[in-house]
Short mmCIF file of all heavy atoms in Angstrom, two decimals:
data_model
loop_
_atom_site.label_atom_id
_atom_site.label_comp_id
_atom_site.label_asym_id
_atom_site.label_seq_id
_atom_site.Cartn_x
_atom_site.Cartn_y
_atom_site.Cartn_z
N MET A 90 148.63 199.03 182.33
CA MET A 90 148.61 200.51 182.31
C MET A 90 147.93 201.06 183.54
O MET A 90 146.85 200.71 183.75
CB MET A 90 147.83 200.95 181.04
CG MET A 90 148.64 200.84 179.76
SD MET A 90 149.96 202.06 179.62
CE MET A 90 149.95 202.29 177.78
N ALA A 91 148.66 201.79 184.25
CA ALA A 91 148.04 202.33 185.41
C ALA A 91 147.23 203.68 184.99
O ALA A 91 147.74 204.34 184.12
CB ALA A 91 149.12 202.70 186.38
N ALA A 92 146.24 203.90 185.59
CA ALA A 92 145.37 205.06 185.28
C ALA A 92 145.92 206.30 185.96
O ALA A 92 145.32 206.80 186.98
CB ALA A 92 143.94 204.86 185.65
N VAL A 93 147.05 206.71 185.56
CA VAL A 93 147.72 207.87 186.24
C VAL A 93 147.65 208.99 185.34
O VAL A 93 147.96 208.87 184.05
CB VAL A 93 149.21 207.51 186.54
CG1 VAL A 93 149.90 208.74 187.12
CG2 VAL A 93 149.28 206.35 187.48
N PRO A 94 147.17 210.11 185.72
CA PRO A 94 147.00 211.29 184.89
C PRO A 94 148.41 211.78 184.39
O PRO A 94 149.31 211.87 185.12
CB PRO A 94 146.31 212.35 185.72
CG PRO A 94 146.47 211.86 187.14
CD PRO A 94 146.55 210.40 187.05
N LYS A 95 148.44 212.10 183.01
CA LYS A 95 149.76 212.38 182.39
C LYS A 95 150.05 213.82 182.76
O LYS A 95 151.29 214.14 182.88
CB LYS A 95 149.62 212.24 180.94
CG LYS A 95 150.95 212.24 180.22
CD LYS A 95 150.67 211.65 178.81
CE LYS A 95 152.11 211.37 178.16
NZ LYS A 95 151.98 210.74 176.80
N THR A 96 149.05 214.63 182.68
CA THR A 96 149.22 216.11 182.97
C THR A 96 148.27 216.52 184.18
O THR A 96 147.21 215.94 184.23
CB THR A 96 148.99 217.01 181.78
OG1 THR A 96 147.73 216.74 181.32
CG2 THR A 96 150.06 216.70 180.68
N ARG A 97 148.74 217.41 184.82
CA ARG A 97 147.86 217.96 185.97
C ARG A 97 146.86 218.96 185.36
O ARG A 97 147.26 219.86 184.63
CB ARG A 97 148.71 218.62 186.97
CG ARG A 97 147.97 219.26 188.15
CD ARG A 97 148.91 219.90 189.13
NE ARG A 97 148.25 220.78 190.01
CZ ARG A 97 147.59 220.42 191.11
NH1 ARG A 97 147.66 219.16 191.48
NH2 ARG A 97 146.96 221.34 191.84
N ARG A 98 145.54 218.80 185.76
CA ARG A 98 144.56 219.75 185.22
C ARG A 98 144.62 221.12 186.07
O ARG A 98 144.82 221.05 187.26
CB ARG A 98 143.15 219.06 185.42
CG ARG A 98 142.85 218.28 184.24
CD ARG A 98 141.93 217.08 184.69
NE ARG A 98 141.74 216.16 183.58
CZ ARG A 98 142.56 215.25 183.23
NH1 ARG A 98 143.76 215.15 183.86
NH2 ARG A 98 142.29 214.33 182.33
N SER A 99 144.38 222.10 185.31
CA SER A 99 144.42 223.40 186.01
C SER A 99 143.12 223.60 186.83
O SER A 99 142.13 222.86 186.61
CB SER A 99 144.51 224.52 184.92
OG SER A 99 143.36 224.61 184.16
N HIS A 100 143.15 224.55 187.69
CA HIS A 100 141.95 224.77 188.48
C HIS A 100 140.73 225.25 187.58
O HIS A 100 139.65 224.93 187.79
CB HIS A 100 142.24 225.93 189.51
CG HIS A 100 143.12 225.52 190.64
ND1 HIS A 100 142.57 224.71 191.60
CD2 HIS A 100 144.42 225.70 190.92
CE1 HIS A 100 143.49 224.42 192.52
NE2 HIS A 100 144.63 225.02 192.06
N ARG A 101 141.15 226.04 186.49
CA ARG A 101 140.04 226.45 185.57
C ARG A 101 139.36 225.19 184.90
O ARG A 101 138.16 225.17 184.69
CB ARG A 101 140.66 227.37 184.56
CG ARG A 101 139.63 227.98 183.70
CD ARG A 101 140.32 228.75 182.55
NE ARG A 101 139.38 229.12 181.56
CZ ARG A 101 139.68 229.73 180.41
NH1 ARG A 101 140.98 230.09 180.22
NH2 ARG A 101 138.85 230.08 179.45
N LYS A 102 140.23 224.31 184.44
CA LYS A 102 139.65 223.05 183.84
C LYS A 102 138.74 222.28 184.71
O LYS A 102 137.59 221.93 184.37
CB LYS A 102 140.79 222.07 183.39
CG LYS A 102 141.45 222.49 182.11
CD LYS A 102 140.59 222.10 180.91
CE LYS A 102 141.29 222.36 179.62
NZ LYS A 102 140.54 222.06 178.47
N VAL A 103 139.13 222.12 185.97
CA VAL A 103 138.31 221.42 186.98
C VAL A 103 137.02 222.16 187.24
O VAL A 103 135.95 221.59 187.23
CB VAL A 103 139.07 221.19 188.26
CG1 VAL A 103 138.26 220.52 189.37
CG2 VAL A 103 140.35 220.29 187.90
N ARG A 104 137.13 223.44 187.45
CA ARG A 104 135.97 224.24 187.78
C ARG A 104 135.06 224.35 186.60
O ARG A 104 133.83 224.27 186.77
CB ARG A 104 136.43 225.65 188.17
CG ARG A 104 137.22 225.70 189.48
CD ARG A 104 136.45 225.21 190.71
NE ARG A 104 135.42 226.19 191.02
CZ ARG A 104 135.47 227.14 191.89
NH1 ARG A 104 136.64 227.36 192.47
NH2 ARG A 104 134.49 227.92 192.15
N THR A 105 135.53 224.43 185.43
CA THR A 105 134.62 224.50 184.20
C THR A 105 133.99 223.13 184.06
O THR A 105 132.73 223.18 183.77
CB THR A 105 135.53 224.75 182.95
OG1 THR A 105 136.25 225.96 183.06
CG2 THR A 105 134.76 224.80 181.71
N ARG A 106 134.60 222.02 184.21
CA ARG A 106 133.86 220.76 184.15
C ARG A 106 132.90 220.56 185.20
O ARG A 106 131.78 220.15 184.93
CB ARG A 106 135.00 219.64 184.18
CG ARG A 106 134.37 218.23 184.39
CD ARG A 106 135.38 217.17 184.01
NE ARG A 106 136.73 217.43 184.43
CZ ARG A 106 137.14 217.22 185.72
NH1 ARG A 106 136.40 216.63 186.55
NH2 ARG A 106 138.42 217.45 186.08
N ARG A 107 133.16 220.97 186.44
CA ARG A 107 132.23 220.76 187.53
C ARG A 107 131.05 221.70 187.49
O ARG A 107 130.07 221.59 188.14
CB ARG A 107 132.93 220.82 188.84
CG ARG A 107 133.86 219.61 189.04
CD ARG A 107 134.66 219.73 190.33
NE ARG A 107 135.59 218.68 190.42
CZ ARG A 107 136.56 218.51 191.30
NH1 ARG A 107 136.58 219.46 192.29
NH2 ARG A 107 137.30 217.54 191.37
N ALA A 108 131.19 222.73 186.68
CA ALA A 108 130.03 223.75 186.58
C ALA A 108 128.99 223.23 185.66
O ALA A 108 127.89 223.84 185.69
CB ALA A 108 130.62 225.05 186.05
N HIS A 109 129.24 222.19 184.89
CA HIS A 109 128.25 221.76 183.89
C HIS A 109 126.97 221.09 184.44
O HIS A 109 125.91 221.07 183.83
CB HIS A 109 128.86 220.80 182.82
CG HIS A 109 129.46 221.54 181.78
ND1 HIS A 109 128.69 222.26 180.81
CD2 HIS A 109 130.72 221.76 181.34
CE1 HIS A 109 129.50 222.90 179.94
NE2 HIS A 109 130.76 222.54 180.24
N TRP A 110 127.07 220.49 185.67
CA TRP A 110 125.85 219.85 186.12
C TRP A 110 124.79 220.85 186.44
O TRP A 110 123.63 220.56 186.47
CB TRP A 110 126.17 218.99 187.32
CG TRP A 110 126.51 219.81 188.54
CD1 TRP A 110 127.82 220.25 188.90
CD2 TRP A 110 125.69 220.28 189.63
NE1 TRP A 110 127.78 220.99 190.11
CE2 TRP A 110 126.53 221.02 190.56
CE3 TRP A 110 124.32 220.16 189.85
CZ2 TRP A 110 125.90 221.58 191.62
CZ3 TRP A 110 123.82 220.71 190.93
CH2 TRP A 110 124.61 221.45 191.83
N GLN A 111 125.20 222.11 186.74
CA GLN A 111 124.16 223.11 187.08
C GLN A 111 123.40 223.63 185.78
O GLN A 111 122.31 224.06 185.97
CB GLN A 111 124.84 224.28 187.82
CG GLN A 111 125.45 223.94 189.14
CD GLN A 111 126.27 225.04 189.63
OE1 GLN A 111 126.69 225.88 188.86
NE2 GLN A 111 126.43 225.07 190.86
N THR A 112 124.03 223.46 184.64
CA THR A 112 123.48 224.04 183.44
C THR A 112 122.42 223.16 182.85
O THR A 112 121.73 223.50 181.92
CB THR A 112 124.59 224.32 182.41
OG1 THR A 112 125.12 223.06 181.93
CG2 THR A 112 125.61 225.21 182.95
N SER A 113 122.35 221.81 183.29
CA SER A 113 121.36 220.99 182.71
C SER A 113 119.96 221.44 183.16
O SER A 113 119.71 221.73 184.33
CB SER A 113 121.65 219.52 183.20
OG SER A 113 121.29 219.43 184.46
N SER A 114 119.06 221.52 182.17
CA SER A 114 117.69 222.02 182.42
C SER A 114 116.80 221.03 182.85
O SER A 114 115.59 221.20 182.96
CB SER A 114 117.15 222.74 181.23
OG SER A 114 117.14 221.80 180.12
N VAL A 115 117.23 219.72 183.07
CA VAL A 115 116.28 218.69 183.37
C VAL A 115 116.31 218.44 184.92
O VAL A 115 116.42 217.34 185.49
CB VAL A 115 116.61 217.31 182.68
CG1 VAL A 115 116.07 217.43 181.30
CG2 VAL A 115 118.07 217.02 182.72
N ARG A 116 116.12 219.50 185.66
CA ARG A 116 116.06 219.38 187.13
C ARG A 116 114.66 218.95 187.55
O ARG A 116 114.38 218.47 188.63
CB ARG A 116 116.50 220.63 187.82
CG ARG A 116 117.87 221.09 187.40
CD ARG A 116 118.97 220.23 187.97
NE ARG A 116 118.93 220.23 189.48
CZ ARG A 116 119.61 221.21 190.14
NH1 ARG A 116 120.24 222.18 189.56
NH2 ARG A 116 119.53 221.16 191.46
N ALA A 117 113.71 219.28 186.81
CA ALA A 117 112.34 218.97 187.05
C ALA A 117 111.58 218.63 185.89
O ALA A 117 111.82 219.09 184.70
CB ALA A 117 111.62 220.24 187.67
N HIS A 118 110.71 217.65 185.97
CA HIS A 118 109.92 217.12 184.90
C HIS A 118 108.42 217.34 185.17
O HIS A 118 108.05 217.35 186.36
CB HIS A 118 110.14 215.56 184.65
CG HIS A 118 111.30 215.39 183.76
ND1 HIS A 118 111.57 214.19 183.15
CD2 HIS A 118 112.31 216.18 183.37
CE1 HIS A 118 112.68 214.30 182.46
NE2 HIS A 118 113.17 215.47 182.60
N GLU A 119 107.54 217.38 184.21
CA GLU A 119 106.21 217.54 184.41
C GLU A 119 105.54 216.18 184.58
O GLU A 119 105.75 215.12 183.87
CB GLU A 119 105.58 218.14 183.19
CG GLU A 119 104.09 218.50 183.37
CD GLU A 119 103.47 218.97 182.07
OE1 GLU A 119 104.02 219.93 181.54
OE2 GLU A 119 102.38 218.49 181.70
N CYS A 120 104.75 215.99 185.64
CA CYS A 120 103.99 214.79 185.95
C CYS A 120 102.96 214.51 184.89
O CYS A 120 102.17 215.43 184.57
CB CYS A 120 103.30 215.01 187.34
SG CYS A 120 102.34 213.57 187.76
N PRO A 121 102.92 213.34 184.37
CA PRO A 121 101.91 213.01 183.28
C PRO A 121 100.57 212.82 183.88
O PRO A 121 99.62 212.85 183.10
CB PRO A 121 102.48 211.62 182.79
CG PRO A 121 103.35 211.12 183.83
CD PRO A 121 103.87 212.27 184.56
N HIS A 122 100.43 212.78 185.18
CA HIS A 122 99.14 212.59 185.78
C HIS A 122 98.45 213.93 186.23
O HIS A 122 97.40 214.21 185.78
CB HIS A 122 99.20 211.67 186.93
CG HIS A 122 97.84 211.25 187.51
ND1 HIS A 122 97.34 211.78 188.67
CD2 HIS A 122 96.95 210.38 187.06
CE1 HIS A 122 96.25 211.27 189.03
NE2 HIS A 122 95.87 210.44 187.94
N CYS A 123 99.21 214.70 187.00
CA CYS A 123 98.65 215.96 187.45
C CYS A 123 99.28 217.19 186.83
O CYS A 123 98.94 218.29 187.14
CB CYS A 123 98.67 216.03 188.95
SG CYS A 123 100.33 216.19 189.57
N HIS A 124 100.28 216.92 186.03
CA HIS A 124 100.99 218.04 185.29
C HIS A 124 101.55 219.09 186.18
O HIS A 124 101.75 220.22 185.78
CB HIS A 124 99.98 218.71 184.26
CG HIS A 124 99.49 217.74 183.32
ND1 HIS A 124 100.16 217.26 182.30
CD2 HIS A 124 98.19 217.12 183.25
CE1 HIS A 124 99.40 216.38 181.62
NE2 HIS A 124 98.27 216.32 182.14
N GLU A 125 102.03 218.65 187.41
CA GLU A 125 102.77 219.55 188.18
C GLU A 125 104.25 219.14 188.02
O GLU A 125 104.55 218.10 187.48
CB GLU A 125 102.47 219.28 189.71
CG GLU A 125 100.98 219.73 190.09
CD GLU A 125 100.95 221.14 190.44
OE1 GLU A 125 102.01 221.82 190.42
OE2 GLU A 125 99.82 221.64 190.67
N LEU A 126 105.14 220.02 188.45
CA LEU A 126 106.57 219.72 188.33
C LEU A 126 106.98 218.78 189.43
O LEU A 126 106.62 218.93 190.60
CB LEU A 126 107.38 221.04 188.35
CG LEU A 126 107.32 221.97 187.14
CD1 LEU A 126 108.16 223.14 187.35
CD2 LEU A 126 107.76 221.19 185.95
N ARG A 127 107.77 217.78 189.00
CA ARG A 127 108.33 216.82 189.94
C ARG A 127 109.71 216.45 189.47
O ARG A 127 110.15 216.72 188.35
CB ARG A 127 107.38 215.65 190.06
CG ARG A 127 107.34 214.86 188.70
CD ARG A 127 106.75 213.44 188.94
NE ARG A 127 106.55 212.70 187.69
CZ ARG A 127 107.67 212.17 187.02
NH1 ARG A 127 108.81 212.21 187.45
NH2 ARG A 127 107.40 211.55 185.85
N LEU A 128 110.45 215.82 190.38
CA LEU A 128 111.74 215.42 190.05
C LEU A 128 111.71 214.11 189.16
O LEU A 128 110.85 213.30 189.36
CB LEU A 128 112.59 215.05 191.28
CG LEU A 128 112.96 216.29 192.12
CD1 LEU A 128 113.62 215.76 193.42
CD2 LEU A 128 113.88 217.20 191.29
N PRO A 129 112.61 213.97 188.13
CA PRO A 129 112.56 212.72 187.35
C PRO A 129 112.89 211.55 188.14
O PRO A 129 113.81 211.64 189.05
CB PRO A 129 113.56 213.02 186.23
CG PRO A 129 114.44 214.18 186.78
CD PRO A 129 113.58 214.95 187.70
N HIS A 130 112.31 210.36 187.86
CA HIS A 130 112.57 209.10 188.55
C HIS A 130 112.14 209.14 189.97
O HIS A 130 112.74 208.47 190.74
CB HIS A 130 113.97 208.61 188.36
CG HIS A 130 114.43 208.57 186.91
ND1 HIS A 130 115.70 208.97 186.57
CD2 HIS A 130 113.79 208.21 185.79
CE1 HIS A 130 115.78 208.82 185.18
NE2 HIS A 130 114.63 208.38 184.76
N ARG A 131 111.18 210.05 190.31
CA ARG A 131 110.76 210.06 191.64
C ARG A 131 109.18 210.02 191.63
O ARG A 131 108.53 210.49 190.67
CB ARG A 131 111.15 211.42 192.34
CG ARG A 131 112.68 211.61 192.53
CD ARG A 131 113.20 210.54 193.53
NE ARG A 131 114.59 210.76 193.80
CZ ARG A 131 115.60 210.37 192.99
NH1 ARG A 131 115.34 209.60 192.02
NH2 ARG A 131 116.83 210.51 193.41
N VAL A 132 108.66 209.52 192.75
CA VAL A 132 107.16 209.61 192.88
C VAL A 132 106.70 211.03 192.97
O VAL A 132 107.39 211.87 193.63
CB VAL A 132 106.76 208.84 194.14
CG1 VAL A 132 105.27 209.05 194.41
CG2 VAL A 132 107.13 207.38 193.96
N CYS A 133 105.73 211.35 192.25
CA CYS A 133 105.18 212.67 192.21
C CYS A 133 104.68 213.13 193.63
O CYS A 133 103.93 212.43 194.18
CB CYS A 133 104.04 212.82 191.22
SG CYS A 133 103.27 214.41 191.22
N PRO A 134 105.19 214.18 194.15
CA PRO A 134 104.75 214.65 195.61
C PRO A 134 103.38 215.22 195.53
O PRO A 134 102.76 215.40 196.60
CB PRO A 134 105.79 215.74 195.87
CG PRO A 134 106.27 216.24 194.64
CD PRO A 134 106.16 215.11 193.61
N HIS A 135 102.80 215.52 194.33
CA HIS A 135 101.42 216.19 194.34
C HIS A 135 100.34 215.14 194.27
O HIS A 135 99.36 215.27 194.96
CB HIS A 135 101.34 217.08 193.04
CG HIS A 135 102.37 218.10 193.05
ND1 HIS A 135 102.37 219.26 193.79
CD2 HIS A 135 103.60 218.18 192.34
CE1 HIS A 135 103.53 219.94 193.59
NE2 HIS A 135 104.20 219.31 192.72
N CYS A 136 100.50 214.08 193.38
CA CYS A 136 99.44 213.13 193.27
C CYS A 136 99.84 211.71 193.70
O CYS A 136 99.08 210.74 193.84
CB CYS A 136 98.88 213.02 191.85
SG CYS A 136 100.19 212.53 190.64
N GLY A 137 101.23 211.50 194.05
CA GLY A 137 101.71 210.15 194.45
C GLY A 137 101.62 209.16 193.44
O GLY A 137 101.77 207.98 193.64
N PHE A 138 101.64 209.52 192.15
CA PHE A 138 101.66 208.57 191.09
C PHE A 138 103.01 208.42 190.47
O PHE A 138 103.86 209.32 190.50
CB PHE A 138 100.80 209.03 189.94
CG PHE A 138 99.36 208.50 189.93
CD1 PHE A 138 98.54 208.89 191.08
CD2 PHE A 138 98.82 207.71 188.95
CE1 PHE A 138 97.32 208.33 191.18
CE2 PHE A 138 97.58 207.17 189.03
CZ PHE A 138 96.77 207.55 190.19
N TYR A 139 103.36 207.23 189.99
CA TYR A 139 104.66 206.92 189.45
C TYR A 139 104.41 205.79 188.35
O TYR A 139 103.82 204.77 188.67
CB TYR A 139 105.70 206.51 190.43
CG TYR A 139 107.04 206.29 189.81
CD1 TYR A 139 107.73 207.38 189.34
CD2 TYR A 139 107.63 205.01 189.65
CE1 TYR A 139 108.92 207.20 188.76
CE2 TYR A 139 108.84 204.87 189.13
CZ TYR A 139 109.50 205.92 188.65
OH TYR A 139 110.83 205.85 188.03
N LYS A 140 104.78 206.12 187.14
CA LYS A 140 104.60 205.20 186.03
C LYS A 140 103.15 204.78 185.82
O LYS A 140 102.75 203.61 185.61
CB LYS A 140 105.48 203.93 186.12
CG LYS A 140 106.92 204.21 185.89
CD LYS A 140 107.73 202.92 185.83
CE LYS A 140 109.12 203.21 185.39
NZ LYS A 140 109.91 201.96 185.35
N GLY A 141 102.24 205.74 186.03
CA GLY A 141 100.82 205.56 185.76
C GLY A 141 100.07 204.83 186.83
O GLY A 141 98.85 204.64 186.73
N THR A 142 100.72 204.48 187.95
CA THR A 142 99.99 203.83 189.02
C THR A 142 100.26 204.63 190.33
O THR A 142 101.26 205.22 190.41
CB THR A 142 100.36 202.37 189.15
OG1 THR A 142 101.77 202.31 189.39
CG2 THR A 142 100.07 201.60 188.00
N ARG A 143 99.36 204.43 191.33
CA ARG A 143 99.57 205.16 192.61
C ARG A 143 100.62 204.37 193.34
O ARG A 143 100.48 203.17 193.64
CB ARG A 143 98.14 205.19 193.32
CG ARG A 143 98.41 205.49 194.75
CD ARG A 143 97.29 206.32 195.34
NE ARG A 143 97.16 207.52 194.63
CZ ARG A 143 96.08 208.37 194.78
NH1 ARG A 143 95.15 207.96 195.61
NH2 ARG A 143 95.98 209.42 194.12
N ALA A 144 101.65 205.05 193.69
CA ALA A 144 102.76 204.54 194.35
C ALA A 144 102.61 204.80 195.84
O ALA A 144 102.81 203.85 196.83
CB ALA A 144 104.12 204.97 193.90
N VAL A 145 102.27 206.03 196.26
CA VAL A 145 102.17 206.47 197.66
C VAL A 145 100.86 207.20 197.82
O VAL A 145 100.28 207.72 196.88
CB VAL A 145 103.39 207.21 198.18
CG1 VAL A 145 104.62 206.38 198.20
CG2 VAL A 145 103.51 208.51 197.34
N GLU A 146 100.40 207.30 199.06
CA GLU A 146 99.23 208.07 199.40
C GLU A 146 99.71 209.50 199.68
O GLU A 146 100.68 209.63 200.40
CB GLU A 146 98.54 207.48 200.64
CG GLU A 146 97.87 206.07 200.32
CD GLU A 146 96.66 206.23 199.33
OE1 GLU A 146 95.98 207.29 199.33
OE2 GLU A 146 96.53 205.33 198.55
N VAL A 147 98.95 210.47 199.16
CA VAL A 147 99.24 211.85 199.44
C VAL A 147 98.13 212.44 200.26
O VAL A 147 96.94 212.14 200.06
CB VAL A 147 99.42 212.57 198.08
CG1 VAL A 147 99.60 214.11 198.31
CG2 VAL A 147 100.48 212.10 197.31
N LYS A 148 98.48 213.14 201.33
CA LYS A 148 97.53 213.56 202.31
C LYS A 148 96.56 214.61 201.73
O LYS A 148 95.28 214.48 201.75
CB LYS A 148 98.29 214.20 203.49
CG LYS A 148 99.01 213.27 204.33
CD LYS A 148 99.93 213.88 205.29
CE LYS A 148 100.96 213.04 205.90
NZ LYS A 148 102.08 213.63 206.51
N SER A 149 97.15 215.66 201.02
CA SER A 149 96.28 216.74 200.52
C SER A 149 96.09 216.60 199.07
O SER A 149 96.66 217.16 198.17
CB SER A 149 96.95 218.11 200.78
OG SER A 149 98.14 218.04 200.06
N GLU A 150 95.09 215.58 198.74
CA GLU A 150 94.85 215.34 197.35
C GLU A 150 93.42 215.89 197.02
O GLU A 150 93.00 215.73 195.88
CB GLU A 150 94.94 213.85 196.95
CG GLU A 150 93.86 213.01 197.63
CD GLU A 150 93.94 211.56 197.10
OE1 GLU A 150 94.94 211.20 196.48
OE2 GLU A 150 93.03 210.82 197.42
N GLU A 151 92.76 216.59 197.93
CA GLU A 151 91.44 217.09 197.61
C GLU A 151 91.55 218.37 196.85
O GLU A 151 90.51 218.84 196.30
CB GLU A 151 90.71 217.36 198.94
CG GLU A 151 90.23 216.10 199.65
CD GLU A 151 91.29 215.58 200.47
OE1 GLU A 151 92.15 216.29 200.92
OE2 GLU A 151 91.20 214.41 200.85
N GLU A 152 92.72 219.00 196.82
CA GLU A 152 92.80 220.28 196.12
C GLU A 152 92.74 220.15 194.62
O GLU A 152 93.58 219.42 194.08
CB GLU A 152 94.16 220.98 196.56
CG GLU A 152 94.07 221.32 198.04
CD GLU A 152 95.37 221.42 198.71
OE1 GLU A 152 96.41 220.92 198.18
OE2 GLU A 152 95.43 222.08 199.74
ZN1 ZN B 1031 101.57 214.17 189.75
#
């Protein structure tokens, strides 16, 4: 079986499907260490922590 589309999708179907990634509310997560907003699965830019351990050094951590 070849993966060939049986019917052509309309522009509206395509645009509606592609609009859904914007509606997800998980664009930012709260850091468990400093409770600032950070991106999920990324090192926190505020405290440099990831999974409870220091991953990178942050310059301005005196604040
Ligand atoms: Zn943090």
Side-chain angles (χ1 to χ4, degrees):
M90 284 287 212
V93 177
K95 197 167 191 176
T96 57
R97 180 178 161 86
R98 276 148 186 78
S99 65
H100 286 287
R101 183 186 170 188
K102 279 283 188 182
V103 173
R104 297 296 292 270
T105 302
R106 168 162 39 86
R107 288 176 187 175
H109 269 294
W110 69 273
Q111 296 171 338
T112 64
S113 68
S114 61
V115 283
R116 304 290 296 277
H118 275 196
E119 185 185 311
C120 175
H122 187 255
C123 68
H124 302 284
E125 294 273 358
L126 286 181
R127 62 163 177 79
L128 290 175
H130 305 140
R131 295 293 186 275
V132 172
C133 176
H135 304 279
C136 64
F138 268 63
Y139 185 68
K140 285 188 176 180
T142 56
R143 164 142 304 166
V145 294
E146 291 292 326
V147 178
K148 291 166 194 164
S149 64
E150 69 175 9
E151 287 85 23
E152 295 158 337

